[in-house]
Amino acid sequence: VQPPEADPERFWVRWHRDYDDPASRLSQRLRAVTRRTRQAVDAAPPGTVRLISACAGQGRDVVAALVDHPRAGDVVGRLVELDPYNCEVAQGALVGARLSGIECVCADAALTDAFDGAVPANVVLLCGIFGNITDDDIRHTAQNAARLCAPGAWLIWTRHRRSPDITPRIRQWFTGAGFELQAFDAPDESDYCVATFCLTAPPLAFQRGIRLFTFVR
Ligand SMILES: C[S@@+](CC[C@H](N)C(=O)[O-])C[C@H]1O[C@@H](n2cnc3c(N)ncnc32)[C@H](O)[C@@H]1O
């Protein structure tokens, strides 16, 4: 399947091309997300590890993190991506990496319904979302994130740090929602950050029908 180059609505297909350059900012960010995702799987309790990724794109982070991870066979989960081409690429990559416990579904990840049956998760990825939604929606997502989580879940989000850098406020929103910061990867020479949190408060009950955010770009 070829991406439909001329269709401007397929911006999110073209967006992934920067991953093809290992020196790109996006590839640097990928390496940080991959490292933290591997650590999150390491930290999960013995047995089945449930992983979810919202707005998963082509699933590059999940596949890179798990392809040679010693616990890859323990991991089950769901990637949720709205663009059908990206979804197909992600599903193909999951199959190619023999991650048979993980599926990619083409659905609206902003609605909690998309994760019904895949939660409570031990590992939650919210990467490439917070630069595309309003500050209010970021706060709302932080306040409801524990609905997707198992006790002690690790949650990873990314956001650019361009002025005005709101990542300190986002960190506060997650801390206020019961998460504790584990790592904050924010290299001086780049403008991205990768924030890794652990849920230290009890999880909230999962509820269908909650809209977490709306993409505004
Ligand atoms: C910035 S990219 C991030 C992709 C991936 N998480 C990564 O970091 O490589 C945002 C992705 O979100 C997808 N997307 C946008 N709105 C969505 C929604 N409501 N539900 C699911 N995916 C959505 C886009 O198609 C795009 O692939």
Side-chain angles (χ1 to χ4, degrees):
V1 179
Q2 291 299 313
E5 309 277 343
D7 185 347
E9 293 197 354
R10 307 307 283 276
F11 171 86
W12 291 120
V13 175
R14 297 195 314 273
W15 180 88
H16 286 75
R17 289 203 193 122
D18 279 356
Y19 279 129
D20 297 338
D21 173 5
S24 71
R25 166 190 168 282
L26 199 57
S27 292
Q28 289 172 35
R29 194 196 80 169
L30 176 65
R31 287 190 282 275
V33 173
T34 300
R35 187 168 74 248
R36 298 305 176 189
T37 304
R38 290 177 70 90
Q39 289 176 350
V41 172
D42 289 338
T48 299
V49 181
R50 285 177 176 263
L51 175 150
I52 58 170
S53 175
C55 302
Q58 298 178 354
R60 308 259 183 149
D61 39 23
V62 172
V63 171
L66 296 180
V67 64
D68 60 350
H69 193 287
R71 293 191 65 190
D74 290 344
V75 183
V76 300
R78 185 179 301 163
L79 280 50
V80 181
E81 164 60 33
L82 201 53
D83 184 281
Y85 177 81
N86 286 343
C87 202
E88 191 172 334
V89 172
Q91 186 61 48
L94 290 166
V95 170
R98 299 176 189 272
L99 299 170
S100 55
I102 307 177
E103 61 180 350
C104 184
V105 302
C106 193
D108 183 357
L111 260 185
T112 52
D113 306 41
F115 299 100
D116 199 354
V119 292
N122 305 100
V123 183
V124 177
L125 299 190
L126 302 175
C127 298
I129 299 175
F130 292 168
N132 298 296
I133 66 177
T134 64
D135 296 1
D136 280 350
D137 275 0
I138 299 174
R139 190 175 62 234
H140 180 60
T141 301
Q143 287 166 347
N144 285 283
R147 296 188 188 284
L148 304 173
C149 290
W154 280 42
L155 182 148
I156 299 168
W157 55 258
T158 64
R159 173 63 152 80
H160 67 75
R161 289 177 289 128
R162 293 191 287 277
S163 181
D165 177 11
I166 66 158
T167 60
R169 282 168 64 209
I170 305 177
R171 291 203 303 269
Q172 284 174 3
W173 293 333
F174 274 92
T175 304
F179 293 85
E180 190 173 281
L181 188 66
Q182 301 296 301
F184 190 67
D185 301 297
D188 289 342
E189 69 280 7
S190 198
D191 68 354
Y192 71 82
C193 75
V194 177
T196 306
F197 282 83
C198 177
L199 182 65
T200 51
L204 300 176
F206 175 71
Q207 268 180 37
R208 290 176 60 92
I210 298 178
R211 175 159 289 281
L212 298 170
F213 53 79
T214 303
F215 263 47
V216 291
R217 83 162 301 283

